[in-house]
């Protein structure tokens, strides 16, 4: 990651998960929340669209979540 002041931050991806975001079960809701809540340690979470594209809803059916931690330098 390149900051506005040209400082570079390096991260290592620890996990990538595809989560069906239209699911209404408690398990799926908790999985989504774990990526959105604050953490004690520095982390980087990237969330984007994934899975099949539902043309009638004009939306992808899943979220792809990449969870990364800083690389010590």
């Amino acid at each position: 990651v390149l900051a506005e002041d040209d400082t570079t931050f390096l991260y290592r991806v620890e996990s990538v998960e595809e989560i069906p975001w239209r699911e209404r079960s408690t398990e799926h809701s908790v999985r989504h929340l774990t990526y959105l809540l604050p953490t004690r340690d520095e982390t980087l979470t990237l969330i984007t669209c994934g899975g099949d594209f539902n043309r009638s809803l004009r939306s992808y059916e899943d979220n792809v979540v990449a969870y990364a931690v800083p690389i010590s330098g």
Side-chain angles (χ1 to χ4, degrees):
V1 176
L2 182 61
E4 224 175 299
D5 67 356
D6 290 332
T7 304
T8 301
F9 297 91
L10 299 176
Y11 291 85
R12 179 183 65 248
V13 174
E14 293 281 307
S15 66
V16 176
E17 185 174 4
E18 192 165 322
I19 303 172
W21 71 273
R22 294 201 181 275
E23 284 284 336
R24 298 292 180 212
S25 72
T26 302
E27 175 191 347
H28 285 92
S29 297
V30 167
R31 285 170 65 194
H32 277 282
L33 283 174
T34 24
Y35 292 109
L36 299 175
L37 294 172
T39 61
R40 184 179 325 169
D41 299 321
E42 180 183 348
T43 60
L44 176 66
T45 304
L46 304 172
I47 303 172
T48 191
C49 303
D52 294 329
F53 184 75
N54 184 324
R55 291 191 185 279
S56 62
L57 296 174
R58 300 187 64 200
S59 175
Y60 285 90
E61 302 209 344
D62 300 337
N63 283 58
V64 176
V65 180
Y67 177 80
V69 296
I71 296 174
S72 301

